[in-house]
Amino acid sequence: MNSEKSLERDVPVRPQGPALDAVDDPGHEFAMRFTSSRRGARLARRLVSHRLDTWGHPYGSVINEEVTLIAAELCANAVRHGHVPGRDFHVRLTEVAGTVRVEVTDTRTERVPSMACPEPPGDAEVGRGLLIIARLAMRWGVAPRTGAPGKVVWAECVAVPAR
């Protein structure tokens, strides 16, 4: 039995925030809840890549690969650092006016990633996820989760049209 709960929709999305209020492009949205496991994180990564492909950003394109990698890192962090037994994590992917935003929500309030992104020691095999996100994303951040305990870690990339 699949425990992933779909909140998927491909409907017009109205951007939020003062800088985007005047945008006429309705955009796209994909949202889904996943089990807080490595399997859930892997499925989330694959569905993000698939959704981007259906939105016109083909597999192998720069934006598809970058956003998929960012989503993979955010989901892995949600599973590794944001896991609370019995709680899922959520992924929301939107595209509005040429900006693709990926948000990953978990229920751990006390474990907030540092915006400083310190370099991991030497040849450590872990600790590079936020460095990858910081280098690939146009901008990223952390916000409190609304309506429930937890946080949202998000990143935005500019979608350059494929030629």
Side-chain angles (χ1 to χ4, degrees):
M1 181 165 166
N2 188 354
S3 61
E4 272 59 64
K5 303 292 187 214
S6 180
L7 303 171
E8 182 178 350
R9 51 195 179 268
D10 198 5
V11 297
V13 175
R14 196 63 192 136
Q16 296 177 345
L20 298 176
D21 284 342
V23 175
D24 291 329
D25 179 11
H28 302 282
E29 179 179 39
F30 164 80
M32 192 170 212
R33 184 173 73 195
F34 298 89
T35 57
S36 190
S37 66
R38 291 185 347 192
R39 181 174 177 246
R42 184 177 63 241
L43 179 59
R45 175 185 50 82
R46 295 179 80 176
L47 288 175
V48 163
S49 182
H50 175 72
R51 184 53 54 182
L52 289 167
D53 180 65
T54 63
W55 291 350
H57 306 292
Y59 299 112
S61 67
V62 172
I63 191 69
N64 191 304
E65 289 186 354
E66 287 181 351
V67 173
T68 299
L69 180 55
I70 289 169
E73 293 297 337
L74 292 177
C75 292
N77 285 349
V79 169
R80 184 179 188 134
H81 304 293
H83 175 71
V84 173
R87 302 293 178 146
D88 299 331
F89 71 93
H90 298 246
V91 173
R92 181 173 179 251
L93 179 70
T94 58
E95 180 182 14
V96 176
T99 299
V100 177
R101 179 179 174 112
V102 60
E103 301 173 355
V104 177
T105 304
D106 66 54
T107 53
R108 288 294 286 272
T109 306
E110 74 282 4
R111 296 196 75 181
V112 177
S114 168
M115 299 297 289
C117 293
E119 290 284 336
D123 58 351
E125 293 184 18
V126 296
R128 290 182 171 78
L130 293 177
L131 286 171
I132 291 169
I133 293 165
R135 295 215 171 105
L136 292 177
M138 173 178 65
R139 60 189 185 137
W140 72 280
V142 182
R145 185 176 179 191
T146 57
K151 65 188 169 296
V152 178
V153 184
W154 57 269
E156 294 178 343
C157 294
V158 174
V160 178
R163 294 182 185 160

